Amino acid sequence: MMKRYMAVAAALALPMTALAETPNVTPGEWEFVSVTSVSGDMDIPDQTETERQCITQEELDSAEFGLIEEEQGCELLSQEMNADGLSYSMACSADGGQATIDGEMSFMGEQIDGTVTILTESPMGALTMDTTIEGERVGDCG
């Protein structure tokens, strides 16, 4: 179950929800680096993931563009999104455990910065996962 929540935290560059205005994100090839640290009843080393993604102007203009992927067993509780950023809260339950997810992203043209905090309660105990996300435009889509 913990890996599922970590996957939710790391998968912040996938489409899900509609926008009221076009985000301040420059189209092109993007590299996202996420670092997740876990504190709680288990000793888990920090995990770093790097992902590349092509973001097109059509995706930015589309009502389908978003930065949250709603997983099965999760409910999006709140979301505020504008050209300069995104904040959201989500609640998830699976395998006898529950989690709350709170995230914020800032859109700065050729850079995206964000944080995600996941608080979990499971049969294995309580865990807090803090993820920082740094996205940078690295060039044109190829």
Side-chain angles (χ1 to χ4, degrees), residues 52-90:
R52 282 193 174 225
Q53 177 181 354
C54 176
I55 299 175
T56 67
Q57 185 64 49
E58 291 78 17
E59 288 173 318
L60 293 169
D61 293 338
S62 169
E64 297 299 313
F65 183 80
L67 292 170
I68 304 170
E69 181 180 13
E70 191 169 354
E71 295 283 328
Q72 185 174 352
C74 295
E75 176 186 359
L76 188 61
L77 301 175
S78 67
Q79 173 180 279
E80 291 184 35
M81 191 163 194
N82 60 42
D84 296 320
L86 160 73
S87 64
Y88 67 95
S89 293
M90 195 180 295

Side-chain angles (χ1 to χ4, degrees), residues 1-2 8 16 18 22 55 59-61 75 90 99-100 105-106 110 115 120 126 134 142:
M1 183 171 103
M2 184 185 59
V8 170
M16 184 208 92
T22 302
I55 299 175
E59 288 173 318
L60 293 169
D61 293 338
E75 176 186 359
M90 195 180 295
T100 57
M105 304 289 286
S106 297
E110 296 198 1
T115 59
T120 65
E134 293 182 0

Side-chain angles (χ1 to χ4, degrees), residues 91-108:
C92 302
S93 60
D95 302 331
Q98 297 194 7
T100 57
I101 302 170
D102 293 301
E104 289 190 11
M105 304 289 286
S106 297
F107 307 144
M108 300 165 286

Side-chain angles (χ1 to χ4, degrees), residues 116-137:
V116 179
T117 300
I118 303 176
L119 305 173
T120 65
E121 291 288 339
S122 73
M124 297 184 301
L127 291 176
T128 301
M129 290 177 266
D130 290 304
T131 301
T132 58
I133 299 143
E134 293 182 0
E136 181 178 24
R137 186 180 184 277

